[in-house]
Amino acid sequence: FYDIPKARADGRRIRRMALLGRANFAWQSDYGQFYVIDTEDAGFRAPETITPEMEGRGLHVPQSGLVIYTQDCLQQHIRIAIHASQPVPSDKEPMSGRAWTRVETVRARFPYRTFTLTSPSAPDVLPCGPFFALPASEVMVRISWMEFEGSRDDSLPVEPDVIQLEFWPA
């Protein structure tokens, strides 16, 4: 997708927001969390203690990268969208039409302008990705959760939680 001028009815030109990339993943978060880390930053360390604030917000912003906490549902659909500018927020998850359970917007750093997803039990970044490129090293990230409401008994089939991460330059 490119930032292409579009004509309005009155003849003036407007600019559409550019979507630079998108991906969807069926994910299984172990220990109720996953990491969004800069692929070249070997200094990333997940926190060893989860504070009440981190638990309440569902995230932690270290010096670089992000830690996203889930509500202990083992299954998630993680949606990534990278934009050239701030996207218009949506109060509903687009596929189901249900309201997001919570939404947080934070500033994050990815010094090498790249990131990947990983988890606590992964010994290292997966050698074949997924890898993402960002338009800037300082970005805003809007995290939207639509969490399954009900029993968290993973021995029964449950709807996966949906966690959407939207990135744009800070």
Side-chain angles (χ1 to χ4, degrees):
F1 293 86
Y2 298 96
D3 197 12
I4 302 170
K6 181 180 174 186
R8 290 176 25 162
D10 62 7
R12 293 189 343 211
R13 306 291 278 176
I14 60 172
R15 301 201 56 88
R16 294 186 307 181
M17 175 182 49
L19 177 63
L20 302 175
R22 178 180 297 271
N24 297 316
F25 299 93
W27 193 265
Q28 290 192 332
S29 291
D30 49 351
Y31 302 100
Q33 59 192 286
F34 65 93
Y35 310 136
V36 183
I37 64 169
D38 194 305
T39 54
E40 299 296 320
D41 185 5
F44 175 83
R45 298 290 177 265
E48 294 180 15
T49 303
I50 300 173
T51 67
E53 178 194 0
M54 292 158 60
E55 186 175 6
R57 290 182 75 193
L59 65 97
H60 172 65
V61 183
Q63 189 170 7
S64 72
L66 286 169
V67 178
I68 307 294
Y69 297 106
T70 69
Q71 290 295 314
D72 292 329
C73 183
L74 191 57
Q75 303 172 45
Q76 293 82 36
H77 287 174
I78 299 176
R79 298 185 185 146
I80 306 287
I82 301 169
H83 300 272
S85 60
Q86 182 176 357
V88 176
S90 171
D91 57 347
K92 295 182 180 177
E93 191 276 325
M95 294 184 75
S96 70
R98 296 190 318 211
W100 292 112
T101 311
R102 59 185 158 150
V103 177
E104 286 275 348
T105 302
V106 297
R107 185 181 192 112
R109 250 180 99 254
F110 295 88
Y112 295 93
R113 295 176 51 182
T114 61
F115 72 88
T116 191
L117 303 175
T118 190
S119 65
S121 62
D124 204 350
V125 173
L126 298 172
C128 297
F131 300 114
F132 298 90
L134 291 167
S137 59
E138 299 275 336
V139 293
M140 299 304 294
V141 186
R142 182 172 32 240
I143 305 118
S144 305
W145 290 262
M146 188 183 70
E147 296 156 319
F148 175 78
E149 295 179 15
S151 172
R152 293 290 178 171
D153 181 355
D154 285 321
S155 67
L156 302 172
V158 296
E159 275 186 63
D161 289 346
V162 176
I163 302 173
Q164 178 173 283
L165 296 100
E166 298 173 282
F167 296 80
W168 67 90

